[in-house]
Amino acid sequence: MGSAVEAREYQYEGLFQGYTGYQSGRHRQRRNVTDYGSSMVQWMRHRRPAYKGGPTLETERPSASFIVDMVTPAARRTNPADTIPAKHLHSSVNKERSPVNVVRWTPEGRRLLTGLMSGEFTVWNGTAFNFETLQSAHQSPVRQMKYTHSEDWLLSADQEGTVKYFQTNLNNVKEIHAHDHAVRDLAFAPTDVKFVTASDDATLKIWDFAGGIEEQTITGHNWDVKCCDWHPTKGLIVSGSKDNKVKLWDPRNGRCLTTLHGHKNQIQRCLFNPHRGDALATCARDSTPRIFDLRMMRDVLLLKGHDKDVATLTWHPHHPSLLSTGDWNGAIHHYILDEPNTPEGVAASIAPYDSPDPASAPVQSIYPAHRVTYAHDFTIWSLDWHPLGHILASGSNDRLTRFWTRARPGDTVVYQDRYHIGQEAAEARGTYNRKANQKREKEAEEAEEADEAEGLVDQQMPSKQQAVPGLPGLPGLPGISAPDGTSTGGAQTQPPSNITNMIAALTQNQLPQQQLSPPQMPGLPPGMPPIDPSKLQELLASGMFPPPPVPLPQGGQVGANAQFPPPPGFPGLPGAPPPPNLFPPGFPPVPPPPGMQQGESQQMGGGENGFGRKRAPLPSQSDSLKEEMKRGKYTRSR
């Protein structure tokens, strides 16, 4: 039985020695893999009923010998400190870099889905963190993505106010125009029958999920609505707006139940606690997230420690008291709500629940249990936990998606890396090597590009340019339309003109003598009487009338070498010389195409292939050998 390592780093080359890639033929960089299977097996083998006062497992200690005893967060729900993700695992970046607006784990936890500013979805592997696929999902930046509670559907919203339905295989099956402005957030009802959207048009809308029909429009905010959430068990909706207010709504009639005050700037995110429905977490651009108690309809906890505005937050899926936040400086803070972690020199505050009058007691201040100060270089837009709770994914404006996990017992170097103390301080302490890291990052980017190139082979779309019928691969010519293969009813041919019908009938002697009148000449207005042949001859001799069409050869069939002048207005092939007799006498000659001499342009069309210059004879092998021997090569006989 393997050791129970929750964040163990394996190497592919440990299993396949000398593996160089079966397609690229080059050495592939070793990739870290996070394995949680052995930890799950360890927990399943030793788990016991959670009786109150019963025996528990041995407490984990900061020693490498306890690595084999590591278990998943679900096995130690009462100890959130062991789950804090302080170790950086991997940084993933697309070949075409774009800010990451949303990160979302798939319900089974095998992959991570990211929504980009370019409107695309990127799928990353959940254990090796390598690129899997890229899909063009929206025409504008992706703003939010949510899975249903049944884990069967994915909804995504974009900057243009569009909401799209996706299956678990990312097959788009439905699209609705929900708002005229950007949709900033959406949330599902506990039964997945309805969902709510929040938009910059200062409204919330409740939709029927199955039919995509709008059922109700909720108004009441005075500015853009930036976030919303649906209670995990009750018919209750919360929304946060740019007007600094947090409102609670009744989804049955759209009535505002109450307004929560406390923030001094735009609300960025609001989330109900998925475990305890009586707690609501909010963050705003005032650098102080707050925890509201719905039983008292007031804020009870004030989360301090951020220097800049807080952009996002997320609850842990197994620990009700663990909350993670990300700010505009790229820092990630982890709070344990029942541990104040008051720093030295600061007076400790009392929880409202411990005061004689909880309704009027001051707010308790909570300080972060752990800080990752340099997690990203720019704003962190989204955070999301793996369903098992052992990996935290973060998406930032620096175009990177990073993965974080807990440190192994006895690992203290992780707290001295560049993500905790900065790049310069880490270089001074010897925990960071700039040149080695740049080389490693370059190799990682090349590996990501190779994975992306291999992953997109099956998604390469054919050219949308029309081709000449019968000549696949040759693009269509200007002014000539070809069947696109989308219509039904057989071949699509143009009906022959009246002159063509007349000539065909004349060649087959199918017309009576009284109908052998001169045909209508092209270019004359319809209904004009036929011209007398003698007058027509005079007009042709004087040059005031265009020459008639060239008559067909004997038998009415076009020979293989028959040449016709191009039709009027035909532009000719790009780069080819004009046909002869195209311009009247005295007209200056057309210069040859760039890169071709005057004599060469006259030889166009006379080659063996009927189009192009004549090919000169290839040099003989003896002449080539003599030239190489003059250069000092091949002078010794074998």
Side-chain angles (χ1 to χ4, degrees):
M1 186 65 63
S3 61
V5 182
E6 178 181 333
R8 178 166 44 192
E9 299 175 358
Y10 288 105
Q11 310 293 343
Y12 279 139
E13 291 186 355
L15 300 178
F16 306 98
Q17 295 291 339
Y19 174 72
T20 59
Y22 62 93
Q23 285 185 345
S24 60
R26 62 179 180 83
H27 177 73
R28 302 298 295 272
Q29 183 196 18
R30 298 182 300 175
R31 189 184 299 278
N32 298 333
V33 178
T34 301
D35 173 46
Y36 55 84
S38 55
S39 300
M40 293 292 296
V41 172
Q42 177 81 357
W43 175 46
M44 295 173 64
R45 289 182 59 193
H46 298 90
R47 63 180 177 176
R48 302 174 181 135
Y51 294 134
K52 186 176 182 180
T56 58
L57 297 176
E58 184 180 1
T59 304
E60 183 181 299
R61 301 178 184 178
S63 175
S65 60
F66 282 83
I67 292 179
V68 296
D69 297 325
M70 291 174 62
V71 290
T72 59
R76 37 180 168 77
R77 296 178 183 271
T78 59
N79 193 6
D82 291 341
T83 309
I84 293 177
K87 180 180 177 60
H88 171 259
L89 286 177
H90 187 75
S91 297
S92 299
V93 60
N94 288 75
K95 182 179 179 181
E96 299 294 336
R97 299 194 174 190
S98 179
V100 181
N101 291 339
V102 190
V103 294
R104 192 71 60 208
W105 286 95
T106 56
E108 78 283 353
R110 295 183 179 180
R111 296 170 179 86
L112 179 75
L113 186 65
T114 62
L116 307 180
M117 184 69 73
S118 60
E120 298 172 323
F121 287 169
T122 305
V123 181
W124 304 96
N125 188 277
T127 55
F129 316 120
N130 60 298
F131 173 86
E132 286 200 358
T133 186
L134 181 70
Q135 176 174 334
S136 179
H138 290 268
Q139 302 298 324
S140 59
V142 181
R143 291 302 178 188
Q144 189 55 271
M145 296 185 297
K146 288 287 181 70
Y147 278 96
T148 59
H149 296 91
S150 62
E151 304 177 355
D152 295 331
W153 294 92
L154 171 70
L155 254 63
S156 64
D158 63 13
Q159 182 71 23
E160 295 180 349
T162 304
V163 176
K164 292 189 177 183
Y165 291 57
F166 291 90
Q167 294 175 324
T168 53
N169 59 354
L170 298 184
N171 180 29
N172 183 19
V173 298
K174 190 178 182 64
E175 176 181 342
I176 59 176
H177 185 71
H179 295 266
D180 294 333
H181 295 75
V183 177
R184 294 292 179 174
D185 204 355
L186 58 88
F188 279 97
T191 59
D192 292 338
V193 177
K194 305 178 187 301
F195 67 93
V196 60
T197 57
S199 173
D200 283 350
D201 58 7
T203 64
L204 294 99
K205 291 185 179 181
I206 298 178
W207 302 80
D208 176 70
F209 174 71
I213 302 173
E214 177 186 347
E215 294 187 348
Q216 189 175 175
T217 300
I218 300 176
T219 59
H221 282 289
N222 300 324
W223 216 340
D224 303 352
V225 183
K226 295 297 183 180
C227 56
C228 66
D229 195 21
W230 203 307
H231 196 277
T233 58
K234 296 180 175 60
L236 184 65
I237 294 176
V238 64
S239 63
S241 172
K242 200 173 180 179
D243 58 7
N244 311 343
K245 298 177 183 178
V246 177
K247 291 180 177 289
L248 297 173
W249 310 87
D250 185 351
R252 297 172 298 180
N253 51 24
R255 183 170 62 93
C256 179
L257 301 177
T258 187
T259 301
L260 303 177
H261 301 274
H263 288 288
K264 301 177 182 179
N265 211 323
Q266 170 183 312
I267 311 297
Q268 290 291 119
R269 191 72 62 205
C270 54
L271 290 177
F272 288 108
N273 192 320
H275 310 280
R276 302 170 182 172
D278 53 4
L280 170 67
T282 61
C283 67
R285 300 187 63 175
D286 55 6
S287 71
T288 53
R290 294 174 182 263
I291 306 297
F292 291 86
D293 193 330
L294 300 181
R295 297 170 295 183
M296 294 187 289
M297 290 297 178
R298 57 153 295 184
D299 50 346
V300 294
L301 299 178
L302 182 64
L303 309 184
K304 295 185 177 181
H306 283 284
D307 298 329
K308 291 293 183 178
D309 303 340
V310 182
T312 185
L313 55 81
T314 183
W315 292 96
H316 193 272
H318 297 288
H319 298 297
S321 60
L322 181 57
L323 182 72
S324 301
T325 60
D327 66 12
W328 287 61
N329 263 358
I332 298 178
H333 289 188
H334 304 285
Y335 297 89
I336 300 178
L337 302 183
D338 46 13
E339 295 182 7
N341 296 303
T342 306
E344 296 182 2
V346 179
S349 57
I350 302 176
Y353 307 104
D354 299 333
S355 63
D357 187 9
S360 60
V363 180
Q364 183 184 15
S365 298
I366 302 294
Y367 293 87
H370 186 78
R371 295 182 175 93
V372 187
T373 309
Y374 305 95
H376 286 273
D377 296 333
F378 298 103
T379 305
I380 298 176
W381 293 123
S382 182
L383 295 171
D384 195 37
W385 281 98
H386 190 279
L388 288 179
H390 68 295
I391 297 179
L392 176 67
S394 60
S396 171
N397 203 37
D398 60 5
R399 300 169 177 82
L400 293 176
T401 302
R402 282 180 170 156
F403 300 85
W404 311 85
T405 189
R406 59 156 298 180
R408 289 175 288 188
D411 187 3
T412 58
V413 181
V414 65
Y415 304 105
Q416 305 297 326
D417 61 4
R418 66 187 181 103
Y419 302 105
H420 287 79
I421 63 177
Q423 182 171 313
E424 296 181 358
E427 286 181 348
R429 296 196 179 189
T431 58
Y432 176 75
N433 189 329
R434 186 190 301 265
K435 294 183 178 179
N437 185 75
Q438 291 177 353
K439 180 180 179 181
R440 193 182 306 112
E441 289 181 352
K442 183 178 180 181
E443 293 176 353
E445 291 181 2
E446 291 177 355
E448 296 292 353
E449 292 180 0
D451 292 340
E452 184 171 350
E454 294 175 3
L456 295 178
V457 170
D458 297 334
Q459 299 185 15
Q460 292 180 356
M461 301 299 293
S463 176
K464 296 182 180 180
Q465 189 177 9
Q466 293 182 349
V468 176
L471 298 177
L474 183 62
L477 302 177
I480 298 181
S481 60
D484 55 358
T486 59
S487 60
T488 58
Q492 306 174 20
T493 57
Q494 298 291 339
S497 61
N498 295 332
I499 296 180
T500 308
N501 291 334
M502 188 74 68
I503 294 176
L506 287 172
T507 55
Q508 299 178 7
N509 297 324
Q510 294 179 357
L511 294 179
Q513 294 295 331
Q514 60 269 20
Q515 295 186 6
L516 295 179
S517 59
Q520 181 73 23
M521 296 300 298
L524 298 179
M528 184 175 180
I531 304 177
D532 184 65
S534 59
K535 295 183 178 180
L536 179 60
Q537 185 65 25
E538 295 178 359
L539 291 175
L540 292 176
S542 62
M544 300 176 58
F545 201 83
V550 180
L552 295 176
Q554 293 292 335
Q557 297 180 359
V558 179
N561 298 325
Q563 297 182 358
F564 294 90
F570 187 74
L573 296 177
N581 303 326
L582 181 63
F583 301 101
F587 197 86
V590 179
M596 183 180 298
Q597 301 297 330
Q598 184 72 24
E600 295 178 354
S601 62
Q602 298 176 1
Q603 297 178 1
M604 294 292 290
E608 296 179 358
N609 53 2
F611 188 82
R613 68 182 68 178
K614 294 183 179 181
R615 178 179 296 178
L618 296 176
S620 62
Q621 295 184 1
S622 58
D623 296 339
S624 300
L625 179 59
K626 291 179 181 180
E627 292 294 334
E628 294 295 332
M629 293 178 66
K630 290 180 181 179
R631 299 175 184 175
K633 300 180 180 180
Y634 309 108
T635 56
R636 297 181 181 179
S637 60
R638 294 184 179 180

